[in-house]
Amino acid sequence: MKILAILGSPRKGNSEILLEEAIKLCNGKKHELTIIKPCELNISGCTACDGCRDTGQCILRDDMDKVYPLLREAQRIIIASPIFFFGVPAQLKLLIDRCQSLWYEKYILKKIFPQPIKKKALLMLVGGMKKGEIGITCAEATLKAFLRTIDVREHKTLSYLGYDEPGAILKDLVALEKVKYATKELLKND
Ligand SMILES: Cc1cc2nc3c(=O)[nH]c(=O)nc-3n(C[C@H](O)[C@H](O)[C@H](O)COP(=O)(O)O)c2cc1C
């Protein structure tokens, strides 16, 4: 199975710990795992030029050229991200906004790419605020719009609130168990 893991955080912190736990289960002969870190990629913001309107192809040339095929081909997507200002970090949002070309392709041009198996996703969201549910709600809404655009119709969200310092997530003694369980579920074939 082709799996794409995306780290939303620009630091070595809580999201990375969660993502590493998930990807331990994604290695092996049965899977082809690719990990991307938007903060290490050169991705420009969508300029809303509408250059993709008639073709579904973005006219900007940068590291998104490598990302688009990964988004198209992945059968499972795992995203671990912190909440920044009730949303996702800007580096991840740049990648998401550049999927406007895929949005045109799917919803306006109505190009259908048959998928061999149903695509599914796992989201792991970490916020520093103890009562930061709104951050989870808003970030999940953004990610849901992104996932539906790339034909992922089903996702599960694990949320972790009140973890601010890098590594603080390890104080949650069941955090990694929850990741393991959810990843095993994600990797099941329907
Ligand atoms: C720019 C910035 C904005 C943040 N905004 C929020 C927020 O809106 N809600 C929240 O719960 N935590 C917020 N935080 C805290 C982070 O979500 C928290 O530190 C998290 O553990 C970071 O995850 P990481 O270690 O994977 O980077 C913010 C942190 C930064 C640096």
Side-chain angles (χ1 to χ4, degrees):
M1 198 174 315
K2 288 194 177 184
I3 305 166
L4 176 63
I6 305 177
L7 179 65
S9 179
R11 72 176 182 181
K12 290 185 80 60
N14 300 308
S15 313
E16 188 178 62
I17 291 170
L18 296 172
L19 194 66
E20 276 176 358
E21 191 64 19
I23 62 180
K24 275 185 202 162
L25 297 167
C26 302
N27 287 313
K29 284 187 192 142
K30 283 200 303 194
H31 303 302
E32 190 182 324
L33 171 71
T34 308
I35 304 164
I36 59 170
K37 301 180 179 179
C39 69
E40 292 177 0
L41 298 176
N42 170 31
I43 301 177
S44 309
C46 173
T47 58
C49 68
D50 270 351
C52 58
R53 184 199 292 257
D54 299 325
T55 60
Q57 305 279 325
C58 183
I59 61 165
L60 301 176
R61 298 277 66 83
D62 57 19
D63 284 342
M64 278 307 287
D65 291 343
K66 294 184 272 185
V67 176
Y68 289 124
L70 297 171
L71 296 175
R72 281 185 196 286
E73 289 164 21
Q75 291 146 342
R76 296 290 185 270
I77 303 222
I78 304 174
I79 303 175
S81 179
I83 306 299
F84 277 9
F85 284 93
F86 295 173
V88 295
Q91 296 90 338
L92 174 56
K93 189 61 165 48
L94 287 170
L95 183 156
I96 292 172
D97 288 355
R98 288 285 296 287
C99 291
Q100 178 69 349
S101 54
L102 302 179
W103 186 90
Y104 269 122
E105 183 180 76
K106 178 175 177 168
Y107 294 108
I108 306 299
L109 303 172
K110 304 211 185 289
K111 285 191 191 164
I112 312 271
F113 294 94
Q115 297 296 331
I117 53 176
K118 194 162 78 177
K119 299 172 94 172
K120 288 198 267 182
L122 172 63
L123 306 181
M124 295 178 284
L125 303 176
V126 193
M129 292 165 63
K130 288 196 174 75
K131 293 184 179 173
E133 290 84 3
I134 187 173
I136 301 289
T137 306
C138 294
E140 189 187 14
T142 298
L143 290 166
K144 184 176 173 184
F146 164 60
L147 290 173
R148 298 305 177 264
T149 298
I150 58 168
D151 266 339
V152 180
R153 280 175 236 156
E154 208 180 291
H155 73 271
K156 182 175 171 54
T157 302
L158 298 179
S159 56
Y160 302 87
L161 281 174
Y163 299 104
D164 215 2
E165 295 306 315
I169 195 72
L170 294 171
K171 289 183 194 153
D172 178 341
L173 299 177
V174 292
L176 299 185
E177 278 309 308
K178 285 199 289 183
V179 172
K180 229 184 265 178
Y181 179 79
T183 308
K184 281 184 188 159
E185 288 295 304
L186 179 79
L187 297 179
K188 280 183 187 162
N189 277 319
D190 296 312

